[in-house]
Amino acid sequence: MQPKSGRRGGSSMLLLVLLATSCLLGSAKPSRGRPRTVRSVLLASDLAGRTEPEECKLSGHKDLHLLSPATACCYGKIVKNTSCCMDQQIAPGVTRKTLQRKGMHWNCTEENCWDTVQGPRGRDSFWLPEGATCSTPRTLYTHGGSWMYGSPDTDSYAQLGSRLAKVTGTVVMLTDYPLVPAGNYSSILQWAIDALQWLSLNGPFEGCDEEHGAKRVPLFVGGDSSGGGTTMSLVLTLAKRPQLLGQKLAGAFFFSPWTNLMCNTPEYYSNAFSKIQGSGKFQDDSKLTMYTGDILFQEVTPENADAFNGNAVDYLGGDFELQTDPIASPFFAQPADFAGSLPPLYFAVGASESILGDSVRVAQHAAQGGCDVILEVYHGMWHVFPMYSEGCGLGEPLWAGAYAINQTGLFVRHIHEQGRLPYKLKVEGPNGGPPESSILAKFWQPSVSKVPFFRYLYDPNVRHFSKVGELLPNRDATYSYKDIMKDLAKQSPWIVLPSLTGAAVTIFVMGFCLGARSTSGTARAPRPIYWGSRSWSLRRSSGA
Protein backbone atom coordinates (compact mmCIF):
# COMPACT_ATOMS: atom_id res chain seq x y z
CA MET A 1 0.00 0.00 0.00
CA GLN A 2 1.10 3.54 -0.62
CA PRO A 3 1.67 6.07 2.18
CA LYS A 4 -1.16 8.41 2.90
CA SER A 5 -1.25 11.62 0.86
CA GLY A 6 -1.00 13.81 3.98
CA ARG A 7 2.38 12.36 4.89
CA ARG A 8 3.60 12.80 1.34
CA GLY A 9 2.48 16.44 1.31
CA GLY A 10 4.21 17.14 4.64
CA SER A 11 7.47 15.64 3.38
CA SER A 12 7.33 17.66 0.18
CA MET A 13 6.71 20.85 2.10
CA LEU A 14 9.62 20.09 4.41
CA LEU A 15 11.92 19.51 1.42
CA LEU A 16 10.90 22.85 -0.09
CA VAL A 17 11.61 24.61 3.20
CA LEU A 18 15.02 22.92 3.40
CA LEU A 19 15.83 23.97 -0.16
CA ALA A 20 14.92 27.59 0.49
CA THR A 21 16.79 27.68 3.81
CA SER A 22 19.92 26.14 2.34
CA CYS A 23 19.95 28.54 -0.58
CA LEU A 24 19.55 31.59 1.66
CA LEU A 25 22.15 30.48 4.17
CA GLY A 26 24.61 29.52 1.49
CA SER A 27 24.19 32.79 -0.34
CA ALA A 28 25.32 34.83 2.68
CA LYS A 29 28.73 36.37 2.03
CA PRO A 30 30.99 38.99 3.51
CA SER A 31 30.87 42.49 2.15
CA ARG A 32 33.11 43.05 -0.84
CA GLY A 33 32.63 46.78 -0.93
CA ARG A 34 35.27 49.47 -0.42
CA PRO A 35 37.79 48.41 2.26
CA ARG A 36 37.13 50.08 5.56
CA THR A 37 39.77 52.68 6.34
CA VAL A 38 39.93 53.07 10.11
CA ARG A 39 40.75 56.47 11.51
CA SER A 40 43.87 55.82 13.54
CA VAL A 41 44.60 57.47 16.85
CA LEU A 42 46.83 59.85 14.90
CA LEU A 43 43.80 61.03 12.97
CA ALA A 44 45.59 60.36 9.66
CA SER A 45 43.31 60.37 6.65
CA ASP A 46 43.55 59.45 2.99
CA LEU A 47 40.65 60.90 1.09
CA ALA A 48 42.03 60.18 -2.38
CA GLY A 49 39.31 58.99 -4.68
CA ARG A 50 36.56 59.52 -2.13
CA THR A 51 33.63 61.83 -2.58
CA GLU A 52 30.97 62.52 -0.03
CA PRO A 53 27.35 62.27 -1.15
CA GLU A 54 25.41 65.50 -1.03
CA GLU A 55 22.61 63.84 0.92
CA CYS A 56 22.75 61.32 3.70
CA LYS A 57 21.07 58.09 2.70
CA LEU A 58 19.71 56.68 5.92
CA SER A 59 19.21 53.21 4.46
CA GLY A 60 17.80 50.88 7.09
CA HIS A 61 18.22 53.51 9.78
CA LYS A 62 15.36 55.67 8.58
CA ASP A 63 13.04 53.79 10.94
CA LEU A 64 15.64 53.58 13.70
CA HIS A 65 13.71 55.62 16.22
CA LEU A 66 16.22 54.91 18.97
CA LEU A 67 18.52 57.34 17.15
CA SER A 68 17.64 60.72 15.73
CA PRO A 69 17.93 61.01 11.92
CA ALA A 70 21.09 63.14 12.21
CA THR A 71 22.74 60.70 14.62
CA ALA A 72 21.85 57.73 12.41
CA CYS A 73 23.18 59.61 9.39
CA CYS A 74 26.50 60.30 11.12
CA TYR A 75 26.79 56.69 12.29
CA GLY A 76 26.31 55.32 8.79
CA LYS A 77 28.78 57.70 7.16
CA ILE A 78 31.50 57.81 9.81
CA VAL A 79 31.68 54.03 10.07
CA LYS A 80 32.56 53.90 6.37
CA ASN A 81 34.88 56.91 6.40
CA THR A 82 36.11 58.11 9.77
CA SER A 83 37.59 61.28 8.28
CA CYS A 84 34.29 62.57 6.93
CA CYS A 85 31.44 64.74 7.94
CA MET A 86 32.89 67.53 10.11
CA ASP A 87 31.24 70.95 10.00
CA GLN A 88 31.75 73.03 6.87
CA GLN A 89 30.02 76.36 7.55
CA ILE A 90 31.53 79.44 9.21
CA ALA A 91 29.21 80.97 11.80
CA PRO A 92 27.54 84.16 10.58
CA GLY A 93 28.32 87.53 12.13
CA VAL A 94 31.94 86.84 13.07
CA THR A 95 35.16 88.03 11.48
CA ARG A 96 38.61 86.49 11.20
CA LYS A 97 42.06 87.97 11.66
CA THR A 98 45.51 86.39 11.63
CA LEU A 99 48.73 87.39 13.35
CA GLN A 100 52.32 86.22 13.35
CA ARG A 101 53.66 86.86 16.84
CA LYS A 102 57.32 87.73 17.05
CA GLY A 103 59.51 84.67 17.48
CA MET A 104 56.58 82.25 17.32
CA HIS A 105 57.21 80.40 14.09
CA TRP A 106 58.35 76.96 13.00
CA ASN A 107 58.70 74.95 9.80
CA CYS A 108 56.78 71.80 8.95
CA THR A 109 58.94 69.61 6.71
CA GLU A 110 58.85 65.96 5.68
CA GLU A 111 61.63 65.27 8.18
CA ASN A 112 60.03 66.78 11.29
CA CYS A 113 56.28 66.94 10.60
CA TRP A 114 53.63 64.54 9.32
CA ASP A 115 50.89 67.08 8.74
CA THR A 116 49.65 67.90 5.25
CA VAL A 117 50.30 71.64 5.68
CA GLN A 118 54.00 71.92 4.91
CA GLY A 119 56.23 74.99 5.08
CA PRO A 120 56.33 77.99 7.45
CA ARG A 121 53.92 77.60 10.37
CA GLY A 122 53.03 79.33 13.63
CA ARG A 123 50.53 81.98 12.54
CA ASP A 124 47.61 82.54 14.95
CA SER A 125 43.96 82.88 13.96
CA PHE A 126 41.46 85.11 15.76
CA TRP A 127 37.68 84.90 15.54
CA LEU A 128 35.92 88.08 16.64
CA PRO A 129 32.24 88.22 17.61
CA GLU A 130 30.14 91.04 16.30
CA GLY A 131 30.88 94.30 18.15
CA ALA A 132 34.16 93.07 19.69
CA THR A 133 36.29 95.71 21.43
CA CYS A 134 39.42 95.81 23.56
CA SER A 135 37.29 95.00 26.62
CA THR A 136 35.73 91.86 25.10
CA PRO A 137 36.65 88.68 27.04
CA ARG A 138 39.16 86.42 25.32
CA THR A 139 39.56 82.66 24.87
CA LEU A 140 42.67 80.67 24.01
CA TYR A 141 41.67 77.49 22.18
CA THR A 142 44.12 74.61 21.56
CA HIS A 143 43.14 72.34 18.68
CA GLY A 144 43.28 68.55 18.75
CA GLY A 145 44.80 66.09 16.30
CA SER A 146 46.89 63.84 18.57
CA TRP A 147 49.52 66.63 18.73
CA MET A 148 50.63 65.44 15.27
CA TYR A 149 48.04 66.90 12.91
CA GLY A 150 45.85 69.94 12.45
CA SER A 151 46.05 73.71 12.44
CA PRO A 152 43.74 76.67 13.13
CA ASP A 153 42.53 76.53 9.51
CA THR A 154 42.22 72.78 8.79
CA ASP A 155 40.15 69.86 10.09
CA SER A 156 37.14 72.16 10.68
CA TYR A 157 38.86 74.17 13.41
CA ALA A 158 38.06 77.42 11.62
CA GLN A 159 34.40 76.44 11.71
CA LEU A 160 34.58 75.51 15.39
CA GLY A 161 36.47 78.69 16.29
CA SER A 162 33.85 80.83 14.56
CA ARG A 163 31.02 79.05 16.38
CA LEU A 164 32.72 79.45 19.75
CA ALA A 165 33.25 83.18 19.15
CA LYS A 166 29.57 83.58 18.33
CA VAL A 167 28.10 81.62 21.26
CA THR A 168 30.57 82.73 23.93
CA GLY A 169 30.85 86.38 22.89
CA THR A 170 34.62 86.18 23.34
CA VAL A 171 37.53 86.75 21.01
CA VAL A 172 38.78 83.24 20.23
CA MET A 173 42.49 82.74 19.52
CA LEU A 174 43.70 79.48 17.94
CA THR A 175 47.43 78.85 17.89
CA ASP A 176 49.43 76.90 15.33
CA TYR A 177 51.73 75.13 17.80
CA PRO A 178 54.66 72.91 16.65
CA LEU A 179 53.38 69.42 15.98
CA VAL A 180 55.12 66.19 17.00
CA PRO A 181 57.87 65.33 16.21
CA ALA A 182 58.91 68.95 15.65
CA GLY A 183 57.39 69.69 19.05
CA ASN A 184 56.73 67.64 22.18
CA TYR A 185 54.94 67.91 25.50
CA SER A 186 57.28 70.54 26.95
CA SER A 187 57.45 72.79 23.88
CA ILE A 188 53.70 72.56 23.16
CA LEU A 189 52.82 73.42 26.75
CA GLN A 190 55.27 76.33 26.70
CA TRP A 191 53.72 77.52 23.43
CA ALA A 192 50.31 77.59 25.16
CA ILE A 193 51.73 79.51 28.14
CA ASP A 194 53.33 82.09 25.84
CA ALA A 195 50.11 82.49 23.85
CA LEU A 196 48.02 83.00 26.98
CA GLN A 197 50.47 85.54 28.36
CA TRP A 198 50.35 87.45 25.09
CA LEU A 199 46.54 87.27 24.97
CA SER A 200 46.25 88.63 28.51
CA LEU A 201 48.21 91.75 27.53
CA ASN A 202 47.07 92.24 23.95
CA GLY A 203 43.74 92.30 22.21
CA PRO A 204 42.59 91.79 18.66
CA PHE A 205 43.14 95.43 17.75
CA GLU A 206 45.92 97.97 17.94
CA GLY A 207 45.85 99.83 21.24
CA CYS A 208 44.42 96.95 23.26
CA ASP A 209 47.50 96.67 25.45
CA GLU A 210 48.22 98.11 28.89
CA GLU A 211 50.53 100.74 27.43
CA HIS A 212 47.44 102.33 25.90
CA GLY A 213 45.46 102.14 29.12
CA ALA A 214 43.60 98.91 28.32
CA LYS A 215 42.52 96.90 31.34
CA ARG A 216 42.80 93.18 31.90
CA VAL A 217 39.77 91.27 30.63
CA PRO A 218 38.39 87.83 31.61
CA LEU A 219 40.44 84.99 30.11
CA PHE A 220 39.11 81.56 29.21
CA VAL A 221 40.88 78.50 27.82
CA GLY A 222 39.51 75.53 25.91
CA GLY A 223 40.52 72.56 23.83
CA ASP A 224 39.44 69.25 22.36
CA SER A 225 40.99 65.78 22.36
CA SER A 226 44.78 66.14 22.62
CA GLY A 227 44.33 69.91 22.70
CA GLY A 228 42.02 69.41 25.66
CA GLY A 229 44.79 67.47 27.39
CA THR A 230 47.24 70.32 26.81
CA THR A 231 44.65 72.80 28.06
CA MET A 232 44.24 70.82 31.29
CA SER A 233 48.04 70.69 31.65
CA LEU A 234 48.01 74.48 31.24
CA VAL A 235 45.32 74.91 33.91
CA LEU A 236 47.24 72.73 36.39
CA THR A 237 50.51 74.51 35.61
CA LEU A 238 48.95 77.90 36.34
CA ALA A 239 47.55 76.53 39.60
CA LYS A 240 51.09 75.60 40.65
CA ARG A 241 52.69 78.76 39.26
CA PRO A 242 50.08 81.55 39.22
CA GLN A 243 52.79 84.16 38.70
CA LEU A 244 53.07 83.03 35.08
CA LEU A 245 49.85 84.83 34.16
CA GLY A 246 49.28 87.52 36.75
CA GLN A 247 45.52 86.96 36.80
CA LYS A 248 43.19 84.08 37.52
CA LEU A 249 41.58 82.26 34.64
CA ALA A 250 37.85 82.91 34.42
CA GLY A 251 37.00 79.40 33.18
CA ALA A 252 38.07 76.40 31.12
CA PHE A 253 36.07 74.10 28.83
CA PHE A 254 36.89 70.77 27.24
CA PHE A 255 35.48 68.64 24.44
CA SER A 256 36.48 64.97 24.85
CA PRO A 257 39.87 65.78 26.42
CA TRP A 258 42.61 63.16 26.22
CA THR A 259 44.07 63.20 29.73
CA ASN A 260 45.22 59.62 30.41
CA LEU A 261 48.52 59.03 28.62
CA MET A 262 48.68 55.47 29.96
CA CYS A 263 45.60 54.81 27.81
CA ASN A 264 44.17 52.16 30.13
CA THR A 265 40.74 53.38 31.21
CA PRO A 266 38.03 50.67 31.17
CA GLU A 267 36.14 52.29 28.30
CA TYR A 268 38.85 51.17 25.88
CA TYR A 269 37.14 47.79 26.36
CA SER A 270 33.55 48.55 27.29
CA ASN A 271 33.15 51.17 24.53
CA ALA A 272 35.03 49.21 21.85
CA PHE A 273 33.51 49.48 18.39
CA SER A 274 31.02 46.72 17.60
CA LYS A 275 29.09 45.79 14.49
CA ILE A 276 25.79 43.99 15.01
CA GLN A 277 24.80 41.99 11.94
CA GLY A 278 21.44 40.24 11.81
CA SER A 279 20.33 37.52 9.40
CA GLY A 280 17.28 39.44 8.29
CA LYS A 281 16.59 42.85 6.86
CA PHE A 282 15.05 46.16 7.74
CA GLN A 283 11.62 47.02 6.39
CA ASP A 284 13.22 48.94 3.50
CA ASP A 285 15.05 45.75 2.41
CA SER A 286 18.46 46.96 3.62
CA LYS A 287 20.69 44.67 5.66
CA LEU A 288 19.97 44.40 9.35
CA THR A 289 23.20 46.03 10.56
CA MET A 290 23.75 48.37 13.50
CA TYR A 291 26.80 49.80 15.27
CA THR A 292 27.68 50.53 18.85
CA GLY A 293 30.72 51.81 20.71
CA ASP A 294 33.44 54.14 19.46
CA ILE A 295 32.75 54.62 15.74
CA LEU A 296 35.87 56.75 15.20
CA PHE A 297 38.47 54.35 16.61
CA GLN A 298 37.38 50.99 15.29
CA GLU A 299 40.33 48.74 16.12
CA VAL A 300 39.95 45.96 18.67
CA THR A 301 40.78 47.01 22.22
CA PRO A 302 44.48 45.99 22.42
CA GLU A 303 45.32 47.58 19.08
CA ASN A 304 43.35 50.72 19.85
CA ALA A 305 44.92 51.19 23.29
CA ASP A 306 48.41 50.40 21.94
CA ALA A 307 48.01 53.00 19.20
CA PHE A 308 46.95 55.63 21.72
CA ASN A 309 49.83 54.64 23.99
CA GLY A 310 52.44 54.86 21.24
CA ASN A 311 51.10 58.28 20.24
CA ALA A 312 51.33 59.44 23.86
CA VAL A 313 54.94 58.28 24.23
CA ASP A 314 55.90 60.17 21.05
CA TYR A 315 54.25 63.30 22.46
CA LEU A 316 56.20 62.88 25.70
CA GLY A 317 59.47 62.62 23.81
CA GLY A 318 59.94 58.99 24.82
CA ASP A 319 59.82 59.76 28.55
CA PHE A 320 57.67 56.92 29.92
CA GLU A 321 57.68 58.36 33.44
CA LEU A 322 55.64 61.33 32.25
CA GLN A 323 52.76 59.01 31.38
CA THR A 324 51.66 59.19 35.01
CA ASP A 325 52.83 62.73 35.74
CA PRO A 326 49.86 64.74 37.09
CA ILE A 327 50.62 67.73 34.84
CA ALA A 328 51.48 65.93 31.60
CA SER A 329 48.83 63.26 32.16
CA PRO A 330 46.11 64.99 34.23
CA PHE A 331 44.15 61.76 34.65
CA PHE A 332 46.61 60.99 37.44
CA ALA A 333 46.19 64.34 39.19
CA GLN A 334 44.82 63.96 42.71
CA PRO A 335 42.26 66.26 44.36
CA ALA A 336 45.07 68.17 46.07
CA ASP A 337 46.47 69.08 42.63
CA PHE A 338 43.23 70.93 41.87
CA ALA A 339 43.24 72.93 45.09
CA GLY A 340 43.94 76.64 45.00
CA SER A 341 43.07 79.08 42.26
CA LEU A 342 41.63 76.79 39.61
CA PRO A 343 38.77 78.22 37.52
CA PRO A 344 35.35 76.60 36.92
CA LEU A 345 35.54 73.69 34.47
CA TYR A 346 33.08 72.46 31.82
CA PHE A 347 33.35 69.01 30.17
CA ALA A 348 31.34 67.71 27.20
CA VAL A 349 32.09 64.09 26.30
CA GLY A 350 30.40 61.31 24.35
CA ALA A 351 29.06 58.28 26.22
CA SER A 352 30.38 55.94 23.51
CA GLU A 353 33.99 57.17 23.51
CA SER A 354 37.06 55.07 24.20
CA ILE A 355 38.32 57.91 26.40
CA LEU A 356 35.11 58.68 28.29
CA GLY A 357 36.91 57.98 31.57
CA ASP A 358 39.51 60.65 30.78
CA SER A 359 36.84 63.27 31.41
CA VAL A 360 34.89 61.59 34.21
CA ARG A 361 37.81 60.90 36.53
CA VAL A 362 39.38 64.34 36.07
CA ALA A 363 36.02 66.03 36.68
CA GLN A 364 35.50 64.04 39.88
CA HIS A 365 38.97 64.77 41.26
CA ALA A 366 38.74 68.44 40.31
CA ALA A 367 35.44 68.81 42.18
CA GLN A 368 36.78 66.89 45.14
CA GLY A 369 39.69 69.33 45.24
CA GLY A 370 37.31 72.28 45.39
CA CYS A 371 36.65 73.25 41.76
CA ASP A 372 33.25 74.12 40.38
CA VAL A 373 32.71 71.49 37.69
CA ILE A 374 30.02 70.79 35.10
CA LEU A 375 30.24 67.34 33.48
CA GLU A 376 27.87 66.52 30.61
CA VAL A 377 27.89 63.07 29.02
CA TYR A 378 25.97 62.76 25.74
CA HIS A 379 24.33 59.45 24.95
CA GLY A 380 25.52 57.68 21.80
CA MET A 381 28.05 60.38 20.92
CA TRP A 382 31.53 59.82 19.60
CA HIS A 383 34.86 61.62 20.03
CA VAL A 384 34.70 65.45 19.67
CA PHE A 385 31.08 65.29 18.48
CA PRO A 386 30.56 69.10 18.73
CA MET A 387 32.58 69.36 15.51
CA TYR A 388 29.75 67.50 13.70
CA SER A 389 27.00 69.88 14.77
CA GLU A 390 25.75 70.38 11.19
CA GLY A 391 24.51 66.77 11.07
CA CYS A 392 26.98 65.12 8.68
CA GLY A 393 25.28 66.46 5.57
CA LEU A 394 21.72 65.45 6.44
CA GLY A 395 20.47 69.01 6.35
CA GLU A 396 19.42 69.15 9.99
CA PRO A 397 21.72 69.71 12.99
CA LEU A 398 23.16 67.03 15.22
CA TRP A 399 21.34 67.94 18.41
CA ALA A 400 24.08 66.84 20.82
CA GLY A 401 26.81 68.71 18.93
CA ALA A 402 24.84 71.94 18.66
CA TYR A 403 23.66 71.69 22.27
CA ALA A 404 27.19 71.15 23.64
CA ILE A 405 28.43 74.23 21.78
CA ASN A 406 25.51 76.28 23.09
CA GLN A 407 26.13 74.98 26.62
CA THR A 408 29.73 76.12 26.28
CA GLY A 409 28.42 79.55 25.36
CA LEU A 410 26.14 79.56 28.40
CA PHE A 411 29.03 78.49 30.65
CA VAL A 412 31.34 81.25 29.40
CA ARG A 413 28.77 84.03 29.18
CA HIS A 414 27.29 83.33 32.60
CA ILE A 415 30.73 83.51 34.20
CA HIS A 416 31.85 86.78 32.63
CA GLU A 417 28.39 88.40 32.87
CA GLN A 418 27.14 87.02 36.23
CA GLY A 419 30.41 86.05 37.87
CA ARG A 420 29.37 82.45 38.58
CA LEU A 421 28.32 79.16 37.01
CA PRO A 422 24.85 78.88 35.48
CA TYR A 423 24.10 76.01 37.89
CA LYS A 424 24.43 75.84 41.64
CA LEU A 425 24.77 72.49 43.39
CA LYS A 426 24.25 71.99 47.11
CA VAL A 427 25.41 68.79 48.80
CA GLU A 428 24.17 67.74 52.21
CA GLY A 429 24.67 64.76 54.47
CA PRO A 430 21.91 62.77 56.23
CA ASN A 431 19.06 64.87 57.62
CA GLY A 432 20.52 68.01 56.13
CA GLY A 433 23.81 67.65 57.96
CA PRO A 434 27.23 68.39 56.51
CA PRO A 435 28.41 66.14 53.61
CA GLU A 436 31.27 64.78 55.71
CA SER A 437 28.67 63.08 57.90
CA SER A 438 27.53 60.93 54.96
CA ILE A 439 29.07 58.20 52.88
CA LEU A 440 31.16 60.94 51.25
CA ALA A 441 33.25 61.29 54.41
CA LYS A 442 36.06 59.14 53.00
CA PHE A 443 36.50 61.51 50.07
CA TRP A 444 35.35 64.77 51.59
CA GLN A 445 37.40 67.66 52.87
CA PRO A 446 35.13 69.96 54.90
CA SER A 447 34.50 73.41 53.40
CA VAL A 448 36.57 72.46 50.31
CA SER A 449 35.26 69.38 48.51
CA LYS A 450 32.47 69.51 45.97
CA VAL A 451 30.88 67.14 43.46
CA PRO A 452 30.49 67.76 39.72
CA PHE A 453 27.20 69.05 38.41
CA PHE A 454 26.56 65.96 36.28
CA ARG A 455 24.08 65.42 33.47
CA TYR A 456 23.63 62.42 31.19
CA LEU A 457 21.88 63.81 28.13
CA TYR A 458 19.60 62.11 25.62
CA ASP A 459 18.60 63.59 22.29
CA PRO A 460 15.04 64.94 22.82
CA ASN A 461 14.26 64.19 19.16
CA VAL A 462 14.19 60.47 20.02
CA ARG A 463 10.69 59.78 21.30
CA HIS A 464 9.29 56.82 19.41
CA PHE A 465 10.48 53.91 21.51
CA SER A 466 7.21 52.12 20.77
CA LYS A 467 8.20 51.68 17.13
CA VAL A 468 11.14 49.40 17.76
CA GLY A 469 9.13 46.60 16.16
CA GLU A 470 9.71 48.20 12.79
CA LEU A 471 13.33 47.12 13.04
CA LEU A 472 12.56 43.41 13.13
CA PRO A 473 13.55 41.31 10.09
CA ASN A 474 10.84 41.00 7.49
CA ARG A 475 9.55 37.47 8.10
CA ASP A 476 5.87 37.95 7.35
CA ALA A 477 3.80 35.97 4.86
CA THR A 478 4.61 38.29 1.99
CA TYR A 479 8.19 36.98 1.92
CA SER A 480 7.45 34.36 -0.74
CA TYR A 481 9.27 32.10 -3.20
CA LYS A 482 9.49 35.07 -5.56
CA ASP A 483 11.33 37.09 -2.88
CA ILE A 484 13.75 34.18 -2.40
CA MET A 485 14.51 34.12 -6.13
CA LYS A 486 15.06 37.90 -6.12
CA ASP A 487 17.62 37.50 -3.36
CA LEU A 488 19.34 34.69 -5.24
CA ALA A 489 19.47 36.75 -8.44
CA LYS A 490 21.53 39.39 -6.63
CA GLN A 491 24.24 36.89 -5.67
CA SER A 492 27.33 35.86 -7.59
CA PRO A 493 27.02 32.52 -9.49
CA TRP A 494 30.10 31.34 -7.64
CA ILE A 495 28.06 31.63 -4.47
CA VAL A 496 24.72 30.41 -5.79
CA LEU A 497 25.94 27.23 -7.57
CA PRO A 498 27.73 25.74 -4.54
CA SER A 499 24.68 26.68 -2.49
CA LEU A 500 22.36 24.81 -4.85
CA THR A 501 24.71 21.82 -4.85
CA GLY A 502 24.66 21.83 -1.08
CA ALA A 503 20.89 22.09 -1.15
CA ALA A 504 20.63 19.10 -3.52
CA VAL A 505 22.85 16.97 -1.30
CA THR A 506 20.84 18.02 1.74
CA ILE A 507 17.58 17.16 0.01
CA PHE A 508 18.90 13.72 -1.00
CA VAL A 509 20.08 12.92 2.52
CA MET A 510 16.96 14.23 4.18
CA GLY A 511 14.76 12.47 1.63
CA PHE A 512 16.56 9.20 2.27
CA CYS A 513 16.11 9.60 5.99
CA LEU A 514 12.46 10.59 5.65
CA GLY A 515 11.83 7.72 3.29
CA ALA A 516 13.35 5.27 5.72
CA ARG A 517 11.24 6.73 8.50
CA SER A 518 8.09 6.56 6.41
CA THR A 519 8.60 2.80 5.88
CA SER A 520 9.62 2.04 9.42
CA GLY A 521 7.49 4.52 11.34
CA THR A 522 6.82 4.06 14.98
CA ALA A 523 4.87 0.81 14.41
CA ARG A 524 6.59 -2.52 13.83
CA ALA A 525 7.26 -3.18 10.13
CA PRO A 526 5.26 -6.09 8.60
CA ARG A 527 7.08 -9.44 8.43
CA PRO A 528 7.55 -10.58 4.83
CA ILE A 529 6.55 -14.16 3.83
CA TYR A 530 8.48 -15.67 0.98
CA TRP A 531 6.37 -17.85 -1.29
CA GLY A 532 8.13 -19.06 -4.30
CA SER A 533 9.76 -16.28 -6.26
CA ARG A 534 7.52 -13.59 -4.85
CA SER A 535 7.33 -12.01 -1.47
CA TRP A 536 4.14 -10.87 0.22
CA SER A 537 3.49 -8.87 3.32
CA LEU A 538 0.94 -10.09 5.79
CA ARG A 539 -1.01 -7.01 6.69
CA ARG A 540 -4.26 -6.76 8.53
CA SER A 541 -6.91 -5.61 6.21
CA SER A 542 -7.83 -1.98 6.77
CA GLY A 543 -10.73 -2.00 4.43
CA ALA A 544 -8.81 -0.04 1.86
Side-chain angles (χ1 to χ4, degrees), residues 75 270-274 291-296 352-353 380-382:
Y75 267 48
S270 59
N271 279 350
F273 173 76
S274 300
Y291 308 97
T292 62
D294 195 327
I295 61 175
L296 278 184
S352 296
E353 293 194 40
M381 289 297 106
W382 52 93

Side-chain angles (χ1 to χ4, degrees), residues 37-40 43-47 50 52 77-86 88 155-156 296 388:
T37 302
V38 177
R39 180 184 187 177
S40 70
L43 307 184
S45 60
D46 180 8
L47 302 181
R50 294 184 177 181
E52 286 300 317
K77 295 177 75 172
I78 295 173
V79 165
K80 295 179 180 179
N81 177 9
T82 55
S83 299
C84 82
C85 310
M86 288 185 173
Q88 301 295 316
D155 298 320
S156 292
L296 278 184
Y388 301 79

Side-chain angles (χ1 to χ4, degrees), residues 5-23 484 502-518:
S5 59
R7 179 175 293 179
R8 176 187 295 173
S11 300
S12 301
M13 181 63 69
L14 178 59
L15 291 177
L16 288 175
V17 172
L18 289 172
L19 171 62
T21 303
S22 178
C23 291
I484 296 175
V505 172
T506 302
I507 291 172
F508 175 80
V509 173
M510 294 301 296
F512 181 82
C513 295
L514 289 171
R517 179 174 177 79
S518 67

Side-chain angles (χ1 to χ4, degrees), residues 171-222:
V171 174
V172 177
M173 174 184 183
L174 291 93
T175 66
D176 190 19
Y177 59 83
L179 303 172
V180 174
N184 56 30
Y185 157 66
S186 299
S187 62
I188 294 174
L189 177 58
Q190 187 59 51
W191 193 283
I193 293 172
D194 292 340
L196 190 60
Q197 289 173 334
W198 184 92
L199 190 61
S200 70
L201 300 174
N202 300 271
F205 310 107
E206 293 290 337
C208 286
D209 51 36
E210 291 184 335
E211 293 181 0
H212 292 79
K215 297 181 179 180
R216 295 281 183 108
V217 299
L219 288 179
F220 296 84
V221 292

